Amino acid sequence: MLRKIVILSLFALAGSVGAATAQNTSLKWNALYWAVGVPNMSVETRLGEKFTFNADAVYSPWESVKGRPLKGLQLIPEVRFYPKEALKGFYVGGYVSYDSYKVSKWGHPKTQVQHGIGMGLGVTLGWQIDIARRWGMDFYVGGGWHLGWYYGMDTQTGLRYVDWNRSGEWIPYKAGVTFVYRLGMGRE
């Protein structure tokens, strides 16, 4: 009984918070990622006059790209600062990312596949514009430090060719031409 009350209370709280924040929340889809068959979804919500919280989820389902796996899931929570007003114009964001992957590195034999997890720290620079009352566009680029832990398997023999290893590098991390849909009433 107590469990049901707690669950119903959490749904009621989520609904009331959702209704209050819908006016300041956007759903987003990165057209660049969708164009190459990588599903993604983002949510951005206002935290204050100049700050927002953005969360990206990106999934690459590719078992084979030119004979190499490019499969993975990435979650990117980010805080953004807008110098003029939240959700309008130029912004800079700071993020932490979490990912899991199954990839074959370019320049290595196609039969060598790395299975791993990773995390990153980075910065995003972007610009949001309005294109209609409820619709907008978000253009951004981002990069930072990624640290991955992985092991390598040979797909022909089924044997590990590398035990758990790690590598870290500075890399361009993300780019976007994103369609923005504003919940609630949209802009005036």
Side-chain angles (χ1 to χ4, degrees):
M1 180 66 175
L2 180 61
R3 183 173 155 185
K4 288 180 184 179
I5 292 171
V6 170
I7 290 171
L8 288 173
S9 298
L10 289 174
F11 276 115
L13 177 62
S16 62
V17 169
T21 61
Q23 195 74 336
N24 298 306
T25 301
S26 300
L27 300 178
K28 304 186 303 184
W29 302 267
N30 187 336
L32 295 179
Y33 293 176
W34 279 101
V36 294
V38 176
N40 65 89
M41 180 73 178
S42 301
V43 176
E44 185 173 11
T45 192
R46 182 188 301 259
L47 295 177
E49 190 175 315
K50 297 185 177 193
F51 288 91
T52 65
F53 174 76
N54 186 78
D56 298 330
V58 181
Y59 174 67
S60 177
W62 297 102
E63 288 291 343
S64 179
V65 176
K66 293 190 175 183
R68 297 173 180 276
L70 187 57
K71 192 169 187 172
L73 174 67
Q74 185 176 36
L75 303 173
I76 309 171
E78 175 177 42
V79 174
R80 293 179 171 177
F81 171 73
Y82 291 79
K84 292 186 179 182
E85 180 184 344
L87 302 167
K88 289 187 179 179
F90 173 78
Y91 64 86
V92 61
Y95 64 85
V96 177
S97 70
Y98 307 94
D99 52 75
S100 65
Y101 52 88
K102 174 183 168 185
V103 299
S104 178
K105 294 181 181 177
W106 306 114
H108 289 211
K110 289 182 180 183
T111 60
Q112 292 183 353
V113 176
Q114 291 78 37
H115 300 258
I117 57 173
M119 66 173 288
L121 299 170
V123 174
T124 303
L125 298 175
W127 190 275
Q128 274 200 41
I129 62 169
D130 293 340
I131 56 175
R133 192 174 129 229
R134 286 183 179 248
W135 290 93
M137 297 286 294
D138 184 356
F139 304 91
Y140 62 86
V141 293
W145 175 256
H146 182 268
L147 182 60
W149 295 269
Y150 63 92
Y151 63 89
M153 294 290 293
D154 187 302
T155 58
Q156 287 182 329
T157 66
L159 300 174
R160 283 191 184 192
Y161 68 89
V162 172
D163 246 344
W164 279 99
N165 195 2
R166 72 173 180 216
S167 69
E169 52 269 332
W170 291 95
I171 55 174
Y173 222 82
K174 58 184 188 168
V177 174
T178 303
F179 290 99
V180 177
Y181 179 78
R182 296 182 191 93
L183 301 175
M185 297 305 293
R187 302 250 199 255
E188 284 89 42

